[in-house]
Structure formats: C-alpha cells, structure tokens
Amino acid sequence: MNLNRLDVHLESYDTSSVSGLKGVALIIDGLPLAEHVREIEAAEIRAKKTDGSAGSYLPMAVADVKGPEHFLGHPEASFFGDGDTVLLGCTCGEWDCGPLTARIEVRDNVVEWHDFRRGFRDWNYEPLGRFIFDRSAYQNQFETIDWSDTGIPPGGW
C-alpha cells in the first residue's frame, strides 16, 4: 500500500468581512488539498455545464474545528450529518456555504480519507480516490498546531 504524506500548518486568510483568521492548511504529497480537487471539479463544471469555480476553498478556521479531534474521526463540522468531516470551507468565509467533505477513518496504523463530496454540488470525486496516511505521522502533524491561535483578536471584532 502506498501511503500519502500530509503536512499541516496554520495559514492566515481574509474574507470579505474579517482579516487575519487562522485556518488549517492541508498539504497532501506537496500540493494543497484544493489543488488535488481542482481538475476534477473543472471537469464536472464542463460536463454538467454548471457555474462555479473549481478548487476554490479556504482552510477550515481553527475556531471552527477547535482541535485535532476534528481530523481524527470526531468532526466539529459536518455538512451532510452522516459521518462526513468538513476539510475545506467556502471562499466567503462560512464553512457551510460550499464545503469539501470526506469520510475520515482512523485505524490502528493508518488514517484514510475517502468519499469526497461538496456541499450543494452533485459532483463525482471518484477520480480523486483515497488518501491513506501513516497514523503516527498524521497525528504528529496535528500536534504541531497551536489550537489557541485563531487569529481572532482578544474580545472579538
């Protein structure tokens, strides 16, 4: 079995109403997750003659995921409510506007992401396949995150 490599770090981003939020950037095998889905989404837009922008997402805000458990099978944000985990949020800054979700299965030695979906779009993500990570290396990535660094000023906006 070929394993994928996950790199995780915090990334600042701006929305139309706030700036400096911190989100969890997910890099798989050297590419941001949004890049992995861009061509698949572009093909779906062309085939279904729909509008939309392929691969346009923001990282999930630290304030929304609250900690590593979100990525370990206990999601804080679930769009479909059937065990899915929101991995990327909409570019408007509201994660539930048009998120990218997947099922996350945590096993003894590996963590697997599969069954990708996008909120409000019936697109086929099967060509994306599955991402399978070494569990120890995966968990170590999330342990490096300062989960208190939300980018929200003390006292809020």
Side-chain angles (χ1 to χ4, degrees):
M1 164 180 14
N2 290 335
L3 295 177
N4 299 99
R5 187 184 85 247
L6 178 69
D7 295 303
V8 178
H9 66 270
L10 292 187
E11 179 176 287
S12 291
Y13 65 90
D14 301 333
T15 70
S16 59
S17 57
V18 297
S19 62
L21 285 174
K22 295 288 181 85
V24 182
L26 305 168
I27 313 299
I28 302 170
D29 299 331
L31 285 175
L33 177 56
E35 291 296 318
H36 285 276
V37 301
R38 186 177 311 280
E39 286 305 313
I40 292 166
E41 292 183 352
E44 287 289 306
I45 290 168
R46 287 189 301 272
K48 294 185 172 147
K49 297 182 172 84
T50 62
D51 63 344
S53 54
S56 294
Y57 297 97
L58 287 175
M60 283 298 289
V62 172
D64 289 330
V65 299
K66 296 181 177 55
E69 290 300 311
H70 176 78
F71 299 98
L72 290 165
H74 305 285
E76 287 287 332
S78 173
F79 183 80
F80 296 99
D82 61 2
D84 68 302
T85 298
V86 177
L87 298 173
L88 296 172
C90 182
T91 57
C92 74
E94 299 294 328
W95 69 260
D96 57 350
C97 179
L100 180 72
T101 74
R103 290 198 183 276
I104 296 179
E105 288 185 36
V106 179
R107 299 195 195 115
D108 289 341
N109 298 318
V110 297
V111 176
E112 184 174 340
W113 293 0
H114 60 91
D115 294 337
F116 290 87
R117 293 182 282 177
R118 182 167 182 170
F120 304 113
R121 300 285 186 180
D122 184 24
W123 289 348
N124 177 15
Y125 287 93
E126 284 184 31
L128 186 59
R130 297 169 175 258
F131 293 114
I132 303 172
F133 310 100
D134 174 82
R135 182 175 175 174
S136 177
Y138 180 94
Q139 287 181 282
N140 286 342
Q141 284 295 310
F142 291 104
E143 289 172 7
T144 66
I145 299 295
D146 176 0
W147 295 100
S148 67
D149 188 6
T150 63
I152 299 171
W157 279 282

